[in-house]
Amino acid sequence: MVNYRLALEEDYSNINDFYNRIHGLNRSIDVFYWEFHNCPFGKSIYVIAEDGNKIVGTNCVIPIDLVCSDNSIIKSGKSEDTLVDPDYRGQNIFNNIYDFLFEKCKENGIKVIWGYTPAKKPFLKLGFSIPFDHKQSLVVNKLFKSYTFLSSLNKKNTKVEKAKIFGLCLFSKLKMISFAKNRELNDYTLIENQKITKGVDELIQSNLNSLESGFAINQIESFQDWRIYQNPNFFQVHTYGFYDKNNVLKALFVLNSHSNKVAYFCQSTFSESMTNKERIKMIKYVTKKMFNNGIVMIRNWHFDHTAVNKNEIHNFKNSNFTFLDRGISFVWKNLEESIEIDSNKFILSRISTQGVI
């Protein structure tokens, strides 16, 4: 008989072994602690399904505080580690874990659960909505190295699919030929490759001021430190902070690069007061800086459901990034029926992931 309970810290090693066995991976226990135990908003509400002493299913939510345009806080949970042992599928374990998890979240004051998944049907059956998918963009510096990387992501790629990937890389590379030389940003002081945690929440709030009833992850200093600088998934962190003459942070770029020299935007946040012309100049400046440091290609996530997110897409397109209208689904569930929270007011970026890639 399968039983359901909250995980204890002494269960962590067995949970991680279960995850690695099912996925054929080698996630370390240090990564597990960072992701599920050390979040500044509280340790995860982690549920396990057991058959005797054997773990046969897992699911959890990472507590994430959301800050609203009126400065109020919504307690949310990001769904992670949803997993059922293949030998136990067909026994309703997925649904039972979530039912148990929903109750525990309510007991802990969590109002909404959200996350990302390629598997839509199971979440729809549980009452989740799927309001939108994320989009992707990239910019290529080294043509053949970029092609080699992208074509290796799916070993089942046919010759036609590989040709399309090469065409995508070539198209992006050609766009870079017209890439303007760096212009000096005389109105700003650049702080490069240093730990930046102060002032990020104020940047977020400036964007919320322009969006009625909007909300975003509350990027307080402890969250920024945990998500970026304590992240064991990161190989090398690149930061570019632009400060005005009063030493106020006006724009922040954070990227992570891997040993293969492929980099990913984690964050590109601007003060609401900045013009699009300034933003585009900064995006190009940072891109060129990364390329000069040997980065092969830069990838990014985007969303188009808020005015803030749409404007970001506009600026990256005008910074010669090539867009792919393809991505995984965002899932959302209100846990408190008396309070309707509109997922389409959630300002999102890749900071909302855990930075595994």
Side-chain angles (χ1 to χ4, degrees):
M1 179 179 178
V2 177
N3 295 306
Y4 304 87
R5 66 174 176 87
L6 290 176
L8 304 173
E9 188 171 351
E10 51 260 39
D11 296 310
Y12 288 178
S13 180
N14 288 337
I15 293 170
N16 203 49
D17 288 345
F18 169 72
Y19 174 93
N20 287 331
R21 176 174 65 83
I22 298 299
H23 283 299
L25 297 174
N26 190 31
R27 182 175 71 184
S28 72
I29 195 65
D30 289 339
V31 171
F32 184 95
Y33 265 90
W34 168 79
E35 186 167 4
F36 302 117
H37 193 80
N38 297 338
C39 178
F41 300 124
K43 69 178 183 179
S44 296
I45 302 172
Y46 206 112
V47 177
I48 57 177
E50 290 180 312
D51 184 2
N53 294 322
K54 180 183 179 181
I55 296 175
V56 298
T58 60
N59 198 10
C60 79
V61 298
I62 304 169
I64 301 290
D65 281 2
L66 308 178
V67 60
C68 303
S69 52
D70 63 359
N71 280 313
S72 62
I73 298 294
I74 300 170
K75 293 189 69 174
S76 82
K78 182 173 184 284
S79 180
E80 288 287 348
D81 263 21
T82 305
L83 190 59
V84 175
D85 190 317
D87 293 337
Y88 285 78
R89 287 174 185 165
Q91 298 185 34
N92 212 38
I93 291 175
F94 177 86
N95 289 357
N96 290 340
I97 288 179
Y98 260 109
D99 287 342
F100 189 88
L101 183 62
F102 291 155
E103 292 305 314
K104 295 303 174 184
C105 286
K106 291 176 183 178
E107 290 174 11
N108 283 272
I110 289 177
K111 307 299 183 185
V112 295
I113 296 177
W114 54 275
Y116 300 97
T117 182
K120 297 183 180 182
K121 288 184 178 179
F123 285 89
L124 288 172
K125 289 180 179 179
L126 284 168
F128 283 83
S129 63
I130 302 178
F132 45 79
D133 296 342
H134 91 279
K135 301 177 185 298
Q136 301 178 62
S137 73
L138 57 83
V139 61
V140 166
N141 182 29
K142 304 293 184 181
L143 175 60
F144 291 102
K145 288 183 178 180
S146 296
Y147 163 73
T148 300
F149 169 76
L150 289 178
S151 61
S152 70
L153 295 179
N154 185 353
K155 296 180 180 179
K156 296 181 180 180
N157 280 328
T158 64
K159 290 182 179 180
V160 172
E161 290 166 333
K162 289 181 178 180
K164 289 181 178 178
I165 293 170
F166 183 81
L168 171 69
C169 293
L170 179 60
F171 178 72
S172 178
K173 178 62 179 178
L174 291 174
K175 289 175 73 173
M176 291 300 296
I177 293 175
S178 62
F179 205 79
K181 293 183 178 180
N182 280 342
R183 295 179 180 178
E184 293 300 320
L185 296 160
N186 295 324
D187 293 334
Y188 299 94
T189 299
L190 173 63
I191 302 299
E192 185 176 349
N193 294 330
Q194 293 186 28
K195 184 176 180 179
I196 299 175
T197 60
K198 293 182 178 180
V200 182
D201 54 346
E202 294 176 6
L203 282 183
I204 300 299
Q205 192 61 49
S206 76
N207 285 276
L208 289 172
N209 291 340
S210 67
L211 186 65
E212 185 179 356
S213 302
F215 54 92
I217 291 174
N218 191 19
Q219 289 180 230
I220 55 177
E221 290 184 40
S222 57
F223 174 85
Q224 199 75 6
D225 186 44
W226 170 76
R227 172 62 179 83
I228 301 296
Y229 304 103
Q230 296 178 22
N231 195 328
N233 296 301
F234 281 8
F235 180 77
Q236 184 175 356
V237 175
H238 310 260
T239 58
Y240 301 88
F242 292 86
Y243 293 80
D244 67 11
K245 293 178 181 179
N246 296 315
N247 202 33
V248 175
L249 181 65
K250 304 298 285 187
L252 175 63
F253 297 85
V254 180
L255 300 94
N256 168 46
S257 66
H258 288 232
S259 57
N260 58 11
K261 297 296 183 178
V262 175
Y264 300 82
F265 270 102
C266 305
Q267 182 161 16
S268 52
T269 305
F270 303 89
S271 169
E272 192 273 335
S273 64
M274 293 186 66
T275 66
N276 281 340
K277 185 177 180 180
E278 289 178 303
R279 299 178 195 211
I280 292 167
K281 185 187 291 188
M282 286 182 176
I283 294 169
K284 288 184 175 181
Y285 185 93
V286 168
T287 300
K288 200 69 175 178
K289 275 273 190 177
M290 294 291 289
F291 283 178
N292 289 342
N293 288 327
I295 293 300
V296 168
M297 174 175 61
I298 302 175
R299 305 178 72 190
N300 202 357
W301 275 27
H302 303 276
F303 302 86
D304 62 2
H305 59 288
T306 72
V308 173
N309 287 117
K310 288 177 181 177
N311 194 52
E312 179 187 82
I313 290 176
H314 168 83
N315 290 326
F316 272 87
K317 282 184 175 179
N318 282 278
S319 302
N320 291 21
F321 276 66
T322 299
F323 275 70
L324 295 79
D325 191 13
R326 156 188 323 178
I328 62 174
S329 297
F330 177 85
V331 295
W332 175 272
K333 183 177 176 63
N334 282 297
L335 293 181
E336 192 166 319
E337 296 179 0
S338 62
I339 301 176
E340 183 62 33
I341 304 169
D342 186 357
S343 59
N344 286 293
K345 298 295 183 71
F346 192 176
I347 298 175
L348 282 168
S349 70
R350 205 181 194 125
I351 204 78
S352 62
T353 71
Q354 300 315 109
V356 177
I357 58 172

